């Protein structure tokens, strides 16, 4: 039993040491003309961490953000994005909602920001722009273990 415990502790130390690399999926996403994201679909595996580089390439000088949300919450976040409070600019138009998992700041044209996200379960997560009036058409999907 002591040998088993010692083996478990050695394995745990190896898995949590700085040398043990977590799988990272790097993905570029752009905000493009016509209130669209490119690409609109991403696939990844549970356990991977998504490092998402968001670039606003919209030629119309529109600001955009990118917000990753829980599966099944798209409609609720679309509705919440239209309820703009006095502190909306400070919050980069990201709604206070339990379904928000990760978000960028409001990104101006020709600027970038990187955010990270690690799904806890399989499913279809959405990324959405919550700048007022954009959410109804500006979203994409992250398919986690949906092959």
């Amino acid at each position: 039993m002591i040998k088993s415990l010692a083996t478990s502790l050695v394995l745990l130390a190896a898995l949590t040491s700085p040398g043990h690399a977590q799988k990272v999926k790097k993905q570029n996403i752009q905000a493009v003309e016509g209130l669209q994201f490119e690409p609109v679909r991403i696939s990844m595996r549970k356990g991977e961490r998504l490092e998402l580089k968001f670039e606003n390439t919209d030629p119309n000088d529109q600001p955009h953000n990118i917000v990753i949300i829980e599966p099944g919450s798209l409609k609720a976040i679309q509705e919440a994005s239209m309820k703009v409070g006095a502190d909306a600019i400070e919050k980069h138009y990201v709604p206070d909602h339990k379904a928000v998992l990760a978000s960028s700041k409001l990104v101006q044209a020709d600027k970038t920001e990187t955010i990270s996200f690690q799904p806890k379960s399989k499913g279809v997560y959405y990324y959405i722009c919550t700048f007022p009036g954009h959410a109804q058409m500006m979203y994409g999907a992250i398919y986690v273990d949906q092959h």
Side-chain angles (χ1 to χ4, degrees), residues 11-85:
L11 181 58
L12 179 63
L15 291 174
T16 58
S17 70
H20 181 74
Q22 177 184 33
K23 281 192 133 187
V24 176
K25 178 180 177 81
K26 294 186 178 201
Q27 178 71 51
N28 294 331
I29 294 183
Q30 297 177 323
V32 297
E33 188 170 23
L35 301 179
Q36 301 289 317
F37 284 116
E38 181 61 41
V40 295
R41 288 180 186 82
I42 300 170
S43 293
M44 64 181 294
R45 297 219 174 265
K46 182 180 160 209
E48 288 181 321
R49 182 173 57 88
L50 179 64
E51 188 174 288
L52 194 147
K53 182 179 176 186
F54 175 56
E55 182 179 11
N56 183 354
T57 62
D58 188 332
N60 297 309
D61 289 331
Q62 286 278 329
H64 297 287
N65 64 15
I66 190 163
V67 180
I68 300 175
I69 59 175
E70 288 278 358
S73 63
L74 181 61
K75 184 174 180 173
I77 298 299
Q78 287 172 324
E79 290 171 0
S81 75
M82 296 304 290
K83 298 174 183 167
V84 178

Side-chain angles (χ1 to χ4, degrees), residues 121-136:
S121 60
K122 69 178 188 174
V124 181
Y125 295 77
Y126 287 94
Y127 49 96
I128 182 169
C129 177
T130 56
F131 188 80
H134 293 194
Q136 299 303 323

